[in-house]
Amino acid sequence: MVTIVENYEILYKEQLGKVGLLTTENSRLKEQLEWFKRQVFGQKSERFIDAPTKDELLPGLDIGPSAPEIQIAIVPSYTRKVTKSGKDQFKVEIPEDLPREKERKDIPEEKKVDPQTGARLTQIGEEIVEKLAYRPGQYFVKQFVYPKYASKENSLFGVKQAPAEDCVIKGSKFDSSFMAHVVTEKFGYHMPLYRIKEKLSVSGVKITDQALCGLVIKLGQETQILFDEMKKRLFEQEIIFTDDTPVDLVGNGSGKAKQARVWGYIGNHPNAPPYHLYEFSSDRCERHPMSFLKNFSGILHADAYSAYEKMDDSDDYRFTWAACWSHARRKFENAQSGDEKFRTAILRKMRGVFMYERVAWNGNSDDRLKIREEKEKPIIDEIYKMLRDKVRDGSLLPKSEIAGAIGYMLPREKNFRAYLSEPNARMENNTAERGVRKLVIGRKNWLFVGSPRSGKAMANLLSLVQSSRAMSVDPQAYLEDIFKRLPAYPHKNLFDLLPDQWAKKFGKQN
């Protein structure tokens, strides 16, 4: 017969077993939680930092007066080899079995005569310059052959040969086709430089990280004049869409990544080329867009960033800020709690405005103004009346999402109505968001910017590549050609080298 005490002992053991299981499960779940927290918020390194003590490392080892004498060996110190900056740091090793194509660069026949004696010049040799080149699907070497000529009868004539081919980076071991390939791969198809390096290694080409990074930075600096010309032409359109996105900056001197910014300025005038301009800045201070837009006049499409509101209210700026209805609609869509009937009514009216606007863009500018005046403006009047009535009835909670959505629209009524009177303006800023998204996709691959200098170069090259793509111009062919033309091209005619004009003037020749 089981006694009461024995029953308690059995129950006590069962409870201890359950507690042990729960404790074990709790400990395991805590470990999983810490692991997930580390994956999301902590460092990914698996290095174990907490070093063991002497007793933990050598248990039972007595190092005292009676311990045997320990022989100490003197190991010579290691001196780290420092690579000197110079040409070797940017070395490129081209394998001997890589295909080679010769291209003869000779002087004209009429110049193969000594002007003093009239004697025919004699070829005394030739100079061969090798450059790493690229064509779709293949890396190869271009051998530029420069014949050398001298006069047999005139020892003071010297040596004559054709000048070196123009290139944006003089004396480089890279052909303009390879330069265009690297830029297009990185800023057109979001390929990080280390992957480009891996692709080169498959063909036997060994290249340093410094060489590729230095090449991109140099090309970005040399194309600054084209960026400035594109900015000038964009401002002439009087319609700009702008947005910004963060990017990590690691070369800022602090040793940690800092959040920098890339600003997109996109053209979408119906009768003008869709230039895509990107500007890099080390932070998101108001001074960056305020400086960039100093000389702009027209319509600026943007979100409600404080810098745009300040410029819109200032007499120093000559443009009108048009607020984005997509941003406003998004705020009401996110307001899931509160007066659902009111929220639904607002969203339905906004949908009506968007539908009329889609129809308006199927016609010409006069049709757009007519539809906006007769169809869209009355709905917008109703929306703002509903917003004001909702504020007056006193049912809004001050910190609710719906109150925030109303507070976003009411103070900026004139900015939300700005597009109604300008036929080429739009009611949303989706153009800029699509333009910035191209950078966001690339950022997922190359992760960060190494320095403010490389950030500026990135913005210049990204502007050329994405403008080309927006105009259906092959960026590889375009960049390859302008890298040859740019050094000697007259600065007063730089407009010819922008993607849309290049396609008209030079595109068919490539």
Side-chain angles (χ1 to χ4, degrees), residues 188-394:
Y189 306 115
H190 320 300
M191 186 73 71
L193 292 181
Y194 78 89
R195 292 187 191 170
I196 298 176
K197 178 183 175 181
E198 289 177 359
K199 288 174 64 177
L200 284 164
S201 66
V202 173
S203 300
V205 179
K206 296 181 180 180
I207 186 170
T208 62
D209 295 328
Q210 295 92 333
L212 278 179
C213 292
L215 174 65
V216 171
I217 292 175
K218 183 64 174 176
L219 290 173
Q221 293 171 339
E222 294 296 329
T223 51
Q224 178 68 45
I225 53 176
L226 288 181
F227 178 91
D228 295 337
E229 182 67 21
M230 196 184 301
K231 177 181 176 181
K232 173 184 173 184
R233 302 295 174 173
L234 176 64
F235 279 16
E236 292 176 355
Q237 298 182 16
E238 299 181 346
I239 299 285
I240 292 182
F241 299 78
T242 183
D243 199 4
D244 62 278
T245 186
V247 61
D248 284 343
L249 172 65
V250 297
N252 52 56
S254 65
K256 296 182 179 180
K258 172 187 176 183
Q259 192 174 86
R261 220 73 187 179
V262 175
W263 311 78
Y265 299 94
I266 317 297
N268 195 18
H269 193 288
N271 302 315
Y275 292 127
H276 285 52
L277 268 70
Y278 299 90
E279 186 189 37
F280 175 85
S281 63
S282 299
D283 50 47
R284 202 189 182 218
C285 291
E286 296 175 350
R287 68 178 185 274
H288 302 299
M290 295 178 80
S291 174
F292 188 91
L293 297 167
K294 185 69 176 177
N295 299 319
F296 173 66
S297 61
I299 300 289
L300 178 72
H301 294 271
D303 57 19
Y305 178 47
S306 57
Y308 307 133
E309 294 187 289
K310 288 182 179 179
M311 288 186 280
D312 186 55
D313 295 334
S314 173
D315 295 333
D316 296 332
Y317 294 87
R318 305 184 303 276
F319 63 80
T320 299
W321 166 47
C324 176
W325 279 87
S326 291
H327 278 77
R329 180 177 60 182
R330 195 175 302 140
K331 289 183 177 296
F332 279 96
E333 288 177 345
N334 294 335
Q336 298 293 330
S337 60
D339 192 339
E340 182 63 25
K341 183 178 179 181
F342 170 77
R343 170 180 169 271
T344 302
I346 291 292
L347 287 175
R348 284 177 177 171
K349 290 189 178 297
M350 285 186 176
R351 181 175 62 183
V353 179
F354 275 93
M355 291 175 66
Y356 278 121
E357 184 67 8
R358 193 178 302 120
V359 174
W361 276 96
N362 290 329
N364 56 35
S365 58
D366 292 334
D367 295 333
R368 283 196 289 276
L369 289 177
K370 184 178 180 181
I371 292 174
R372 289 172 179 176
E373 180 65 27
E374 296 179 0
K375 303 294 184 182
E376 297 178 34
K377 185 176 180 296
I379 300 178
I380 293 176
D381 292 340
E382 293 177 12
I383 289 175
Y384 271 94
K385 181 179 183 304
M386 292 174 63
L387 297 179
R388 282 188 282 267
D389 290 344
K390 188 64 178 175
V391 173
R392 292 191 192 101
D393 69 15

Side-chain angles (χ1 to χ4, degrees), residues 11-25:
L11 291 173
Y12 179 73
K13 290 180 180 179
E14 289 178 355
Q15 292 300 321
L16 282 178
K18 290 181 180 179
V19 170
L21 289 174
L22 292 174
T23 302
T24 302
E25 184 178 3

Side-chain angles (χ1 to χ4, degrees), residues 86-104:
K87 293 183 179 180
D88 290 341
Q89 191 176 4
F90 303 99
K91 189 176 180 181
V92 179
E93 295 183 13
I94 302 175
E96 293 295 331
D97 59 348
L98 199 67
R100 280 164 167 76
E101 297 181 4
K102 287 189 176 182
E103 186 173 327
R104 190 177 177 86

